[in-house]
Amino acid sequence: MYRLVLLLAAVAAAAILPVSALAGAIDIRITYRATDTATPKQLELHCSPPVHGSVPAPMTACRKLIAIGDQAFARPRPQTQACAQIFGGPQTVVVSGIYFGRPVWAKLSRVDGCAIARWKRVAFLFPKSA
């Protein structure tokens, strides 16, 4: 019973906290390339108040990243997932910085079905041409 009360209190506290309080641990830099030879485009997103950045719609981007949680940039496990061998495009992205309070470095591409799914999960961070 005591655990249930603690769990309910934690859920209530999380619901009361403003989104910006949870977002403070997101401070990322994005390097986008349309092709291997294209000049990289640098973008940033800072979710601590005031929310700002050069990604499209920074406030919305922060809300979406918080909703996805700490798995936004996680790699699929090749041992447990079959990936369709389809090519989605030459675009690549490197995300680095702090994400949910931890260092992050992730390279995303569109080389197969799994990579495309991973890309689409966070595509709102990239230029519209992506």
Side-chain angles (χ1 to χ4, degrees), residues 13-122:
I16 294 171
L17 285 174
V19 171
S20 60
L22 298 173
I26 300 174
D27 183 19
I28 58 174
R29 285 160 300 293
I30 300 163
T31 303
Y32 168 84
R33 284 184 185 259
T35 66
D36 287 343
T37 58
T39 303
K41 182 171 184 172
Q42 302 291 327
L43 303 162
E44 292 187 359
L45 179 62
H46 309 279
C47 292
S48 55
V51 171
H52 64 285
S54 53
V55 301
M59 182 68 77
T60 302
C62 287
R63 285 189 191 125
K64 287 181 177 181
L65 281 176
I66 291 167
I68 292 171
D70 62 356
Q71 296 298 307
F73 303 107
R75 297 185 78 154
R77 293 183 177 207
Q79 303 89 350
T80 60
Q81 187 173 10
C83 300
Q85 296 302 301
I86 55 175
F87 182 70
Q91 300 88 351
T92 60
V93 166
V94 173
V95 178
S96 61
I98 303 296
Y99 187 68
F100 277 90
R102 293 186 298 253
V104 65
W105 189 94
K107 184 171 184 178
L108 288 79
S109 67
R110 297 169 44 153
V111 297
D112 63 29
C114 295
I116 292 169
R118 185 178 180 214
W119 179 283
K120 286 181 177 180
R121 188 170 47 214
V122 292

